Amino acid sequence: MFGTIWIIPFLPLLSFLILAITGKRWSEKTVSILGVGSVGISALFTVLIGIQFLTNPPPGHFVVQTLWSWMEVGSLTPAIAFHLDALSLVFCFVVTFVGFIIHLYSSEFMEEDEGFSRFFAYMNLFVGSMLILVLADNLVLLYLGWEGVGLCSYLLIGFWYKDPQNGYAARKAFVVTRVGDTAMAIGLFLLFTSFGTLHIDTLLDAASQNWATGTTMAVLASALLLGGAVGKSAQLPLQTWLPDAMAGPTPVSALIHAATMVTAGVYLIARTNVIFMLAPATQLAVAIIGAATLLIAGFAALTQVDIKRVLAYSTISQIGYMFLALGVGAWSAAILHFMTHAFFKALLFLAAGVVILAMHHEHNMFKMGGLRKELPITFWTFLIGSASLAALPIVTAGFYSKDLILWYAWAGEQGNFWLWLAGFAGAFITAIYTFRMVFVTFYGKRKSEISHKPGKRMLIPLVILAVFSIIGGLVETPHTLGHIQLFSKMLENVLPSTGILHSGISEELILQIVTALLALLGIYLAYYLWLKKFSLVQKITQVKLLATSQRFFFSGWGFDWLYDRLFVFPAVWLARINRRDFIDLFYDGIADANRYFHQELRKTQSGQIRWYALGILIGALITLTIVVFI
Amino acid sequence: MILVWIIALLMLGGILSLISGKWSHRAPRWISLAANTLAFLLVIRVWISNYARMSISEQHNWIIDLSWEWIPQFGIQFHLAMDGLSLLMVMLTLFLSIASILVSWTEITERVGFFHFNLMFIIAGIIGVFTALDLFLFYFFWEVMLIPMYFLIGIWGHENRIYASFKFFIFTQASGLLMFLSILALYFIHGQSSGEYTFDYMVLLGTTMSPAAARWIMAGFLIAFLVKLPAVPVHNWLPDAHTQAPTAGSVILAGLLLKTGAYGILRFVLPLFPDAAAEFAPVALLLGVISILYGAKLAYAQTDFRRLVAYTSVSHMGFVLLGSFAFNELALQGVIMQMISHGLSTGALFILAGLLQERIHTRDMTTMGGLWARVPRMGGIGMVFAMASLGLPGFGNFIAEFLILLGVYQSAVIWAILATLGLIASTIYSLHIIQRIFHGKPQKEWSLTDFNVREMCVMVSMVLLLLWIGIYPKPFLLTSRTSTFQIQKFLQPGMNYPDEYQSDKDIPPCGQNGSVPYSNTPSEQIDITLSKFPRQKTSLSFMETHGFRPDCYGKYGILFKQMQGETS
Amino acid sequence: MTVVPMETGLLLAGILFLLGLVGVLVRRNVIFMLMSIEIMLNAAGLAFVIAGASWGQADGQVMFIFILTMAAAEVSVGLALILQFYRQFKTLDADVASQMRE
């Protein structure tokens, strides 16, 4: 079975090729069968390989399948080779499984769009690239997948290309992530220069043997990799592209900008964990970036009116949690949160897609309302997703993963009080903005008619994801709740375990109860403010200071404003003033000087023979003088 | 002999085109297409029959080496030879010339015979440049490719063609004359010191000259090649020439003429003047980085599609300059890959621009927009090449730029980092192309047709080639490998091969995984390691910061040694 | 017969040459310019004869005969040109011919 790993990324890529070349000829049905089916079969293969991997683990707990040698230049010998271990298995599973569900949903969502086959071609290309990313056994191949998903993200954000605004958002996403990618590329150069290889396992071995903890090189290398991760995962300071990325079709937001691609940064850091552990400074930076991002994005989510932008900021915030976990060394907790987040965030986006479709493509939550009765299944699944996002205790998947992260932030060796506090406060804000969204959208008065009722292909994905949003967390439960450790056991061969400073069931229990209460308080607050006493909110926003800060949060803390002034405007200005290339002036100057002398010398050719004779005389005299006297 | 046949075939094809053009418009097209295809197949045959030998050999050798007396009184020979590097370049030349004949099929309707005559002579000249090993012959071919190009721009160009053709001719001719002076100087210096007056490259390689003389003579060569490349600040002929040239002219300019500059640096500047080149390297790296960033910046500012693509050429060829002066295998291989990939990707963008201009009679991107809906094939192809041009992995350009940057990083960290910023810049201008032309709202109601079969064939074959280089570049890398070894040999005469390492008994065995933690390595051991490469300016501190033992990495050792030689 | 010193003869030749030169420079009538050129030629011939006489060599006189022949040829061509010039412009003013410049 392990010999068939290559099929997992190959099928979506094949389907992409077919659709890209001949897509126009097929009917929507054929296209959906191809597009959805290829990902579905990939998911099937992943599950089969996964079962074999878990029941009958290969020696060393990883499998490598080398397809061909990519290039051989000096010591650079990367291969097109796939490396399957528990970590890539988890990612593969989420990518193919959630990907399949979202593809299924899209086959109805995108119906009668003129770019139907183009959409599925791009989506398949994305799944293929993402699978290459998580299966790559060397950093060059990983970089290939990394850029490939960036490309698909660009293509899909700008999918409705006729609106220049979408094109702008797409380019912004590509360019901003490319800034991070550049840092990552430099990181690869540094690693290669140090160890002469980019094969991940060899590299990590060499690093752990040759670099002492805290070496400058380790800090530099990890910081550069972090640069790439930050760009892709929309963390501070490169988070600005993600909210704008919501210009793409909603399934795209669900798959790429929530469930999978944006977590590539998490994958990268987890994959190269050795280098990060050798550089405690960088690891602390990861935790701080995570903590800061989750708060900043949480506040921003609190003020948005566009339902997709709320979800976008919430994604940034949740990835902040994952970064926090990575930073405090809670590796498997980060991956667990990645998985549960993929379930519930994909669910929320898909449900939001149903709502948006039902409301004539209206994104503003405050123009919705009262949809509870109209779209019951959507409402219930959305509620489950929200509960999971807000980490409602015990019954939701989000609770288990987030709780684990908070616990390690508190008790882990690298955790500290402030990091925990940030995560704790973030949990409160999360609960508020999530249920603000629920109450505003689904409760209250109905404000407009429903234009489109979701069909089966849209509802089944919602239900499946809702189930996973509830049970997805049961693979790993805390000491207080049964202490199941399936997930961390599975990952223990790939990711180091987390050192614990404090322990004790009571301490853990207290923290859990406090967090749970806080989440419930947040939900109540959302209920009180946006459902019961909405007038209060309106009154609050009248206060000048609060209104200003609301505007500030609404704009995503003014990062766009700042970057426009720091980078975009100067670059555009520079381009504008030097459009004609000032170096050309130099050559034009030479040409002009020649022309000038030509004009001047021309005047001597007066055509009057006497002047020529005089010229001859003077010339003869000068020659004579030179000959005679010198 | 086969090289002579190819060149003769092309020239004959050109003359036949000229003659047949008097009676028919179609005949010259078919004749030149047939001649080119035949030549291409001949070269492919050479590649296939020599591939096995080239790919395993560690030693550089000439696949074809042909030398006839030409003007023996002055030591001038008709000396053509081909190694892996030349072979790749000749293949690229013939491939792109077929493409440019096909794209001119309907574009050129006046003086068709003379057009193809010029085209064929340019191609013959370029192949001559890529294979000549006699400096006089090299200069001869250099001129052969120049003058027909001048006619091509001046006669079949667009509105401002006279200006552009003059600018092109003056820039290249003036710099070519400097090169000729350098060739003569080299000829006389070698003649005086050894008594043998010859233009033969192989003989001249051994010239001993004073460093000052080497510097000046190299400057002559280098200026000619930098103008052709083109590097900032001698790039100004390029945008004008590209904007005004007919499509085939642009393709050949971008795809091939620029490569002759790069080829000249690799074949002549580095081996003939290794010390002077090493001295010049910092300036070259600086110029390379400036070209990359400044070219990209100017590209972004343009509204004329072809001018934009022309500036991207400046940016991409900056990588070539950068890599050529990094002096290690990675970078040199990257340079060769960049020459091929850039030829294909930029050539394709020029074809796209040309075909677009043929349809809507404008190059102004502000009047385009939203063309995707109308011409999806064109849009898809445009997207592919824009992505190739921004260095997306999977395309040859990525392999090239990655190798170059990786190589440069080992010899000059700062320049490598600055050059890597070019990746961001290339993203911005490539996406700008897509947005301005294919995405967004249509600015005008153009009526245009999508690619037809002939155009699709050209474009798809270029896409496939780029993908081949991107996904399985090994055949190309193996073909050019010994050529880069050869160049390196001149640059670092003290370069050891891994075998010599392992036979050395002085060095204690390496630890597990082929590495010894630096903390365990006594300093004497490092001294021993260092004493093995006395010719290199090996820096101990470099090893300290990196903590590795070159000899413990087997074949990686070569690389490390180069690194040590260059970072200090 | 007193021997005239060479210097005096050369001075005469020089004065003649200068007279001719000034004539070429200041005259506008083409015929006068042609005559001035003849004077210059003869000045040069005189210088040859004087030099030949003073060194007792025949070369000077040989050279003068050459100059004489050449002057005759030159005058015939020059007069033909002047006739043609007069037909074209109905004048003998040399400045009028400046429009031949372009």
Side-chain angles (χ1 to χ4, degrees):
Chain A
M1 202 66 211
F2 293 137
T4 56
I5 295 173
W6 64 277
I7 288 180
I8 302 175
F10 174 75
L11 280 175
L13 289 177
L14 182 71
S15 163
F16 155 72
L17 277 180
I18 296 172
L19 288 178
I21 295 168
T22 63
K24 286 253 159 192
R25 289 182 208 155
W26 309 115
S27 66
E28 286 198 356
K29 197 171 172 191
T30 324
V31 171
S32 0
I33 290 173
L34 253 174
V36 183
S38 61
V39 181
I41 299 173
S42 272
L44 196 69
F45 268 97
T46 312
V47 170
L48 291 176
I49 290 173
I51 289 171
Q52 195 191 354
F53 187 90
L54 293 178
T55 54
N56 192 5
H61 294 274
F62 69 92
V63 199
V64 174
Q65 185 177 29
T66 306
L67 295 186
W68 67 82
S69 156
W70 195 359
M71 48 186 142
E72 282 173 20
V73 185
S75 67
L76 181 71
T77 52
I80 305 281
F82 298 128
H83 172 107
L84 185 85
D85 59 11
L87 180 62
S88 31
L89 188 65
V90 173
F91 272 84
C92 265
F93 171 69
V94 171
V95 171
T96 52
F97 179 70
V98 177
F100 167 66
I101 289 172
I102 294 171
H103 274 71
L104 184 64
Y105 173 94
S106 315
S107 68
E108 187 182 330
F109 187 88
M110 297 302 290
E111 251 171 17
E112 282 161 32
D113 192 291
E114 56 175 345
F116 191 79
S117 67
R118 195 161 54 93
F119 180 83
F120 276 96
Y122 292 166
M123 288 287 268
N124 280 328
L125 179 63
F126 168 77
V127 173
S129 311
M130 189 72 199
L131 288 168
I132 289 177
L133 196 170
V134 298
L135 283 170
D137 94 320
N138 60 70
L139 287 173
V140 191
L141 189 59
L142 187 146
Y143 192 75
L144 184 144
W146 190 270
E147 293 289 313
V149 294
L151 166 69
C152 298
S153 158
Y154 160 77
L155 292 172
L156 285 163
I157 295 169
F159 181 75
W160 289 310
Y161 56 83
K162 284 182 185 152
D163 184 354
Q165 212 55 39
N166 296 350
Y168 176 77
R171 274 178 297 153
K172 183 176 172 186
F174 205 169
V175 173
V176 173
T177 50
R178 189 84 176 179
V179 172
D181 298 352
T182 302
M184 178 175 156
I186 297 171
L188 299 195
F189 303 152
L190 193 152
L191 287 171
F192 180 79
T193 308
S194 302
F195 301 115
T197 178
L198 284 173
H199 183 261
I200 295 173
D201 279 353
T202 323
L203 190 72
L204 297 184
D205 277 352
S208 62
Q209 289 187 27
N210 291 328
W211 280 346
T213 306
T215 328
T216 324
M217 289 310 258
V219 174
L220 271 179
S222 55
L224 288 166
L225 291 181
L226 174 63
V230 156
K232 212 48 140 198
S233 291
Q235 297 293 292
L236 219 59
L238 297 178
Q239 82 287 27
T240 55
W241 64 271
L242 189 59
D244 289 337
M246 296 302 125
T250 309
V252 173
S253 312
L255 180 61
I256 301 184
H257 304 114
T260 53
M261 185 194 84
V262 285
T263 53
V266 178
Y267 174 78
L268 179 71
I269 294 177
R271 180 51 82 198
T272 56
N273 60 68
V274 175
I275 298 172
F276 281 85
M277 294 209 300
L278 289 172
T282 319
Q283 222 191 342
L284 184 65
V286 175
I288 291 171
I289 286 174
T293 310
L294 77 88
L295 283 177
I296 286 178
F299 277 111
L302 209 48
T303 55
Q304 302 301 315
V305 293
D306 180 334
I307 186 166
K308 281 182 77 179
R309 281 179 90 89
V310 177
L311 289 171
Y313 276 112
S314 122
T315 304
I316 299 177
S317 170
Q318 295 306 306
I319 298 171
Y321 272 104
M322 296 176 212
F323 268 62
L324 176 64
L326 295 170
V328 299
W331 306 100
S332 63
I335 306 303
L336 181 67
H337 196 58
F338 149 73
M339 191 174 78
T340 57
H341 174 256
F343 294 141
F344 63 70
K345 191 54 67 66
L347 168 61
L348 285 172
F349 264 114
L350 295 187
V354 174
V355 172
I356 289 167
L357 213 53
M359 304 308 297
H360 315 268
H361 292 278
E362 175 62 62
H363 283 207
N364 190 337
M365 296 190 292
F366 290 91
K367 293 187 179 163
M368 302 173 183
L371 294 174
R372 184 162 42 120
K373 298 265 168 53
E374 308 287 335
L375 304 164
I377 301 179
T378 313
F379 165 68
W380 281 108
T381 49
F382 195 87
L383 192 67
I384 291 168
S386 301
S388 201
L389 174 59
L392 215 61
I394 304 174
V395 291
T396 63
F399 166 74
Y400 295 102
S401 54
K402 197 180 274 181
D403 176 67
L404 206 60
I405 292 173
L406 287 178
W407 168 242
Y408 284 125
W410 172 268
E413 274 170 359
Q414 286 151 302
N416 64 44
F417 173 73
W418 296 106
L419 293 176
W420 172 82
L421 188 68
F424 183 69
F428 182 57
I429 300 166
T430 309
I432 301 177
Y433 71 67
T434 310
F435 276 84
R436 165 178 176 265
M437 184 167 63
V438 174
F439 293 132
V440 171
T441 313
F442 287 96
Y443 287 80
K445 281 208 187 73
R446 215 170 72 201
K447 291 177 187 149
S448 67
E449 285 302 310
I450 303 276
S451 66
H452 181 273
K453 284 257 182 193
K456 272 187 197 144
R457 276 177 294 160
M458 282 169 90
L459 290 179
I460 293 173
L462 294 185
V463 174
I464 299 174
L465 284 173
V467 171
F468 276 90
S469 300
I470 293 172
I471 62 165
L474 293 177
V475 288
E476 183 89 8
T477 59
H479 297 91
T480 47
L481 288 165
H483 198 52
I484 302 170
Q485 280 196 310
L486 284 175
F487 198 74
S488 51
K489 275 277 177 328
M490 183 172 85
L491 286 171
E492 72 185 356
N493 292 307
V494 191
L495 298 172
S497 59
T498 317
I500 298 278
L501 285 181
H502 326 249
S503 57
I505 301 247
S506 57
E507 196 177 340
E508 206 177 337
L509 192 66
I510 292 167
L511 279 177
Q512 275 164 3
I513 290 170
V514 172
T515 318
L517 284 177
L518 197 72
L520 290 172
L521 183 68
I523 294 170
Y524 178 73
L525 198 65
Y527 164 76
Y528 185 78
L529 283 176
W530 278 281
L531 203 57
K532 207 160 168 224
K533 285 254 179 185
F534 189 61
S535 55
L536 193 64
V537 177
Q538 282 163 335
K539 235 180 260 167
I540 288 174
T541 47
Q542 309 261 302
V543 182
K544 206 165 178 205
L545 185 69
L546 286 171
T548 319
S549 63
Q550 192 214 7
R551 269 203 304 280
F552 179 63
F553 293 148
F554 183 76
S555 69
W557 294 56
F559 276 97
D560 278 332
W561 183 89
L562 184 71
Y563 291 166
D564 275 352
R565 268 145 198 82
L566 274 183
F567 305 111
V568 181
F569 294 164
V572 171
W573 176 77
L574 216 67
R576 196 182 306 127
I577 58 154
N578 190 23
R579 178 163 295 158
R580 300 229 55 87
D581 192 2
F582 75 95
I583 296 176
D584 231 11
L585 292 178
F586 172 70
Y587 296 107
D588 284 348
I590 292 180
D592 288 346
N594 272 323
R595 206 167 290 133
Y596 172 76
F597 285 121
H598 158 72
Q599 292 295 350
E600 291 299 309
L601 283 172
R602 217 178 136 212
K603 286 178 189 160
T604 62
Q605 299 284 312
S606 60
Q608 299 193 346
I609 201 161
R610 291 169 302 138
W611 287 105
Y612 296 166
L614 187 64
I616 295 171
L617 173 67
I618 292 168
L621 280 179
I622 292 171
T623 318
L624 272 179
T625 322
I626 292 171
V627 169
V628 175
F629 294 103
I630 298 168
Chain B
M1 202 52 203
I2 197 150
L3 281 175
V4 183
W5 284 120
I6 289 171
I7 293 175
L9 185 69
L10 291 171
M11 288 189 165
L12 195 71
I15 292 166
L16 279 180
S17 301
L18 183 64
I19 298 169
S20 66
K22 295 230 159 56
W23 301 293
S24 154
H25 275 185
R26 295 168 63 86
R29 294 177 188 141
W30 283 107
I31 289 172
S32 43
L33 183 65
N36 247 312
T37 316
L38 191 59
F40 186 57
L41 293 176
L42 282 174
V43 180
I44 294 288
R45 220 195 69 182
V46 173
W47 191 35
I48 292 172
S49 58
N50 286 284
Y51 177 69
R53 192 155 60 94
M54 279 191 294
S55 58
I56 48 167
S57 167
E58 291 283 327
Q59 288 303 314
H60 178 255
N61 49 32
W62 301 95
I63 308 167
I64 296 172
D65 196 345
L66 170 108
S67 179
W68 291 336
E69 293 283 306
W70 187 12
I71 312 176
Q73 293 88 336
F74 300 112
I76 297 173
Q77 290 176 307
F78 187 82
H79 188 178
L80 296 178
M82 189 148 91
D83 65 348
L85 171 61
S86 310
L87 177 65
L88 288 178
M89 289 299 114
V90 170
M91 282 196 293
L92 176 74
T93 307
L94 290 168
F95 179 82
L96 283 180
S97 64
I98 294 173
S100 46
I101 291 170
L102 286 175
V103 295
S104 320
W105 210 260
T106 54
E107 186 193 0
I108 303 298
T109 49
E110 275 172 35
R111 301 169 82 176
V112 184
F114 190 44
F115 177 83
H116 285 91
F117 171 78
N118 282 322
L119 202 64
M120 298 301 267
F121 268 77
I122 299 172
I123 301 299
I126 292 172
I127 291 180
V129 164
F130 283 144
T131 51
L133 276 197
D134 182 278
L135 290 180
F136 189 84
L137 188 66
F138 176 74
Y139 185 72
F140 170 76
F141 280 125
W142 190 264
E143 294 294 313
V144 167
M145 71 182 186
L146 185 61
I147 293 159
M149 194 69 213
Y150 166 76
F151 285 127
L152 216 60
I153 302 173
I155 298 178
W156 292 274
H158 302 299
E159 66 282 352
N160 202 8
R161 56 179 178 268
I162 302 297
Y163 170 76
S165 58
F166 267 70
K167 204 170 179 181
F168 163 73
F169 194 78
I170 291 173
F171 265 85
T172 41
Q173 185 66 1
S175 60
L177 283 173
L178 285 179
M179 179 174 79
F180 192 59
L181 283 181
S182 283
I183 291 176
L184 288 180
L186 194 64
Y187 172 74
F188 284 115
I189 285 181
H190 183 264
Q192 275 160 11
S193 66
S194 71
E196 188 192 359
Y197 284 90
T198 178
F199 282 101
D200 194 73
Y201 170 76
M202 308 275 200
V203 182
L204 289 175
L205 278 176
T207 312
T208 46
M209 54 191 136
S210 69
R215 232 173 279 150
W216 283 105
I217 297 174
M218 184 193 75
F221 276 95
L222 201 61
I223 288 172
F225 297 142
L226 288 183
V227 167
K228 262 293 196 291
L229 200 55
V232 173
V234 283
H235 62 282
N236 297 65
W237 61 273
L238 184 84
D240 289 308
H242 270 314
T243 319
Q244 301 304 330
T247 309
S250 280
V251 174
I252 289 175
L253 263 181
L256 305 172
L257 246 62
L258 309 191
K259 307 305 176 291
T260 59
Y263 175 83
I265 291 177
L266 294 183
R267 177 72 80 218
F268 296 104
V269 173
L270 300 185
L272 285 171
F273 318 100
D275 297 325
E279 247 176 74
F280 183 72
V283 184
L285 294 175
L286 173 70
L287 287 181
V289 168
I290 290 178
S291 297
I292 293 171
L293 297 177
Y294 190 67
K297 190 204 81 69
L298 279 170
Y300 174 71
Q302 303 308 315
T303 52
D304 182 322
F305 187 14
R306 290 172 83 159
R307 220 179 163 77
L308 193 162
V309 182
Y311 279 117
T312 70
S313 278
V314 176
S315 181
H316 284 141
M317 294 310 278
F319 279 101
V320 169
L321 181 59
L322 194 74
S324 302
F325 282 86
F327 307 142
N328 54 43
E329 192 194 344
L330 283 165
L332 288 173
Q333 286 278 41
V335 166
I336 296 170
M337 289 299 112
Q338 177 79 337
M339 284 156 80
I340 302 173
S341 310
H342 171 263
L344 292 171
S345 70
T346 310
L349 279 175
F350 276 121
I351 293 179
L352 187 72
L355 296 178
L356 206 57
Q357 189 178 3
E358 202 184 329
R359 286 166 166 75
I360 60 175
H361 307 289
T362 181
R363 302 183 302 267
D364 188 356
M365 296 199 296
T366 53
T367 63
M368 301 178 191
L371 292 185
W372 191 299
R374 250 164 225 288
V375 282
R377 281 191 211 155
M378 217 185 234
I381 295 283
M383 178 71 83
V384 168
F385 286 110
M387 290 306 139
S389 146
L390 66 78
L392 193 83
F395 292 107
N397 305 58
F398 166 74
I399 305 285
E401 281 163 22
F402 190 78
L403 288 176
I404 290 173
L405 291 172
L406 202 55
V408 174
Y409 188 90
Q410 308 194 340
S411 56
V413 174
I414 298 298
W415 296 124
I417 291 174
L418 287 175
T420 313
L421 296 181
L423 294 181
I424 304 174
S426 64
T427 315
I428 296 173
Y429 66 64
S430 299
L431 300 186
H432 187 68
I433 297 178
I434 296 296
Q435 183 64 31
R436 273 294 175 81
I437 297 177
F438 296 112
H439 287 174
K441 280 201 183 72
Q443 302 292 321
K444 273 190 188 172
E445 282 305 309
W446 298 109
S447 62
L448 70 168
T449 50
D450 209 345
F451 282 154
N452 59 31
V453 178
R454 168 177 55 86
E455 290 155 347
M456 238 6 223
C457 280
V458 175
M459 295 313 251
V460 168
S461 60
M462 292 174 102
V463 173
L464 290 178
L465 254 179
L466 264 186
L467 280 174
W468 180 15
I469 304 174
I471 294 171
Y472 189 63
K474 240 172 105 177
F476 299 92
L477 291 170
L478 285 180
T479 304
S480 60
R481 193 176 52 135
T482 52
S483 302
T484 63
F485 285 168
Q486 180 74 356
I487 296 165
Q488 277 179 285
K489 224 182 226 167
F490 285 105
L491 292 166
Q492 296 159 339
M495 182 168 134
N496 292 313
Y497 278 89
D499 321 16
E500 298 173 43
Y501 267 122
Q502 282 149 11
S503 65
D504 204 315
K505 296 283 189 300
D506 294 338
I507 299 173
C510 300
Q512 267 187 331
N513 290 337
S515 65
V516 173
Y518 172 63
S519 51
N520 296 347
T521 314
S523 54
E524 308 91 63
Q525 286 182 12
I526 291 179
D527 287 341
I528 293 167
T529 321
L530 291 180
S531 67
K532 289 182 55 129
F533 336 111
R535 297 201 55 162
Q536 292 170 6
K537 293 166 276 177
T538 313
S539 128
L540 187 66
S541 67
F542 183 82
M543 293 194 65
E544 277 172 352
T545 47
H546 287 252
F548 56 72
R549 285 253 315 271
D551 50 317
C552 294
Y553 281 86
K555 63 176 179 177
Y556 303 158
I558 305 175
L559 200 92
F560 284 152
K561 276 190 293 162
Q562 291 157 16
M563 217 158 63
Q564 291 156 17
E566 285 144 23
T567 40
S568 47
Chain C
M1 201 176 98
T2 52
V3 176
V4 183
M6 193 174 72
E7 285 74 21
T8 324
L10 283 181
L11 191 68
L12 177 66
I15 290 169
L16 261 181
F17 187 84
L18 269 181
L19 278 175
L21 185 68
V22 171
V24 172
L25 290 182
V26 299
R27 282 286 181 171
R28 287 164 68 176
N29 191 310
V30 193
I31 293 187
F32 278 97
M33 287 169 77
L34 192 68
M35 285 162 69
S36 303
I37 291 172
E38 284 304 312
I39 292 174
M40 284 160 69
L41 272 174
N42 280 305
L46 182 61
F48 271 113
V49 171
I50 290 165
S54 89
W55 279 309
Q57 300 273 338
D59 295 11
Q61 289 163 34
V62 171
M63 197 53 85
F64 183 68
I65 290 172
F66 271 122
I67 292 175
L68 216 60
T69 359
M70 199 206 71
E74 185 236 305
V75 165
S76 58
V77 172
L79 281 175
L81 277 174
I82 289 171
L83 275 177
Q84 204 60 32
F85 178 75
Y86 186 73
R87 274 194 200 161
Q88 285 267 325
F89 299 103
K90 303 287 171 218
T91 175
L92 285 173
D93 189 346
D95 287 1
V96 175
S98 71
Q99 58 183 282
M100 280 161 66
R101 177 161 56 124
E102 266 154 8

